[in-house]
Amino acid sequence: AQRVTQPEKLLSVFKGAPVELKCNYSYSGSPELFWYVQYSRQRLQLLLRHISRESIKGFTADLNKGETSFHLKKPFAQEEDSAMYYCALTLTGANNLFFGTGTRLTVIP
Amino acid sequence: EPEVTQTPSHQVTQMGQEVILRCVPISNHLYFYWYRQILGQKVEFLVSFYNNEISEKSEIFDDQFSVERPDGSNFTLKIRSTKLEDSAMYFCASSEVHANTEAFFGQGTRLTVV
């Protein structure tokens, strides 16, 4: 069965420091991976997805099929990056998302 | 910018009562979803809806749950006889195509069963 694991519930970094939010998945096929973010008092929204290979708000994520990981990285954290981050997976052609438990990122000024 | 709207924002109900949670998806979207998040736990998929029928559902979505799109704009989730363990934040989402594209989420309805 498909599973998404985010090992860190809480992560704190100082402003300007690099940040990496970890995500590992298990699925035997070829999943599609996403990062969703929820800022304080806002709705869940898409940050980026692996098929787009884009950088959003300075964040990037590379799908590593060998390690079954999709870690989210940013070289220099900003205070406005403080939020809840969810890694999510869907299967090609499916109509649902499997979420990880989320990581709360706090950027310390 | 268009957004998914959910009402009410908070619903308190007695155990055994029926509740209906309402959602207005983004108008040109074709796929609709319900997710829930029990406090402190992950966001869990309940059901997806396309072309006026359920596309997929999870094990959570048992006979107590039903979804409907009664008037072409609202998308509702009904829980027939609520249990204490149904207390959660319920999120509606919609996407232009299927879940492999961006899903837009509503702000959620917090359901409290007492």
Side-chain angles (χ1 to χ4, degrees):
Chain A
Q2 50 277 349
R3 189 186 184 98
V4 178
T5 303
Q6 293 179 252
E8 303 136 329
K9 274 194 166 179
L10 303 170
L11 181 64
S12 295
V13 299
F14 285 100
K15 179 182 170 181
V19 61
E20 181 180 50
L21 292 97
K22 291 185 168 51
C23 172
N24 288 88
Y25 67 90
S26 62
Y27 175 60
S28 56
S30 293
E32 302 202 27
L33 278 297
F34 305 81
W35 277 98
Y36 277 80
V37 61
Q38 189 170 29
Y39 300 103
S40 179
R41 300 182 192 282
Q42 293 188 32
R43 61 192 65 204
L44 203 56
Q45 57 187 280
L46 179 68
L47 181 62
L48 54 79
R49 48 188 162 172
H50 89 270
I51 57 172
S52 301
R53 296 183 172 273
E54 55 195 348
S55 172
I56 303 293
K57 300 185 178 183
F59 284 98
T60 58
D62 290 317
L63 180 61
N64 185 324
K65 291 187 178 181
E67 295 182 359
T68 59
S69 68
F70 188 56
H71 303 327
L72 183 68
K73 299 177 186 178
K74 184 169 182 176
F76 307 104
Q78 303 299 313
E79 287 178 66
E80 55 266 29
D81 296 329
S82 295
M84 195 75 177
Y85 291 80
Y86 294 95
C87 183
L89 168 159
T90 190
L91 315 177
T92 304
N95 292 314
N96 54 18
L97 285 166
F98 294 93
F99 284 87
T101 48
T103 297
R104 181 171 297 283
L105 174 66
T106 302
V107 180
I108 305 164
Chain B
E1 188 175 329
E3 56 185 27
V4 176
T5 305
Q6 290 184 244
T7 54
S9 56
H10 191 186
Q11 172 97 40
V12 181
T13 188
Q14 283 199 318
M15 191 168 57
Q17 296 295 304
E18 173 184 286
V19 293
I20 297 177
L21 309 183
R22 291 184 166 79
C23 169
V24 179
I26 294 172
S27 61
N28 64 331
H29 285 185
L30 302 179
Y31 285 82
F32 315 113
Y33 313 86
W34 283 101
Y35 290 82
R36 79 169 185 192
Q37 186 175 30
I38 296 171
L39 188 64
Q41 299 184 26
K42 65 173 73 174
V43 176
E44 299 174 292
F45 168 76
L46 293 177
V47 66
S48 60
F49 193 83
Y50 169 71
N51 199 26
N52 283 319
E53 61 183 25
I54 290 174
S55 175
E56 292 182 42
K57 61 181 181 179
S58 71
E59 292 174 353
I60 303 167
F61 194 86
D62 61 21
D63 292 343
Q64 293 296 318
F65 292 89
S66 62
V67 288
E68 201 171 48
R69 196 153 186 250
D71 57 12
S73 69
N74 288 289
F75 178 51
T76 62
L77 174 70
K78 184 193 292 187
I79 309 175
R80 288 192 184 80
S81 178
T82 49
K83 302 186 281 284
L84 294 176
E85 53 265 39
D86 293 327
S87 295
M89 186 71 108
Y90 287 80
F91 294 104
C92 174
S94 69
S95 61
E96 206 168 339
V97 190
H98 47 66
N100 292 34
T101 58
E102 180 174 359
F104 290 81
F105 283 80
Q107 77 279 27
T109 292
R110 181 168 296 287
L111 175 66
T112 303
V113 182
V114 297

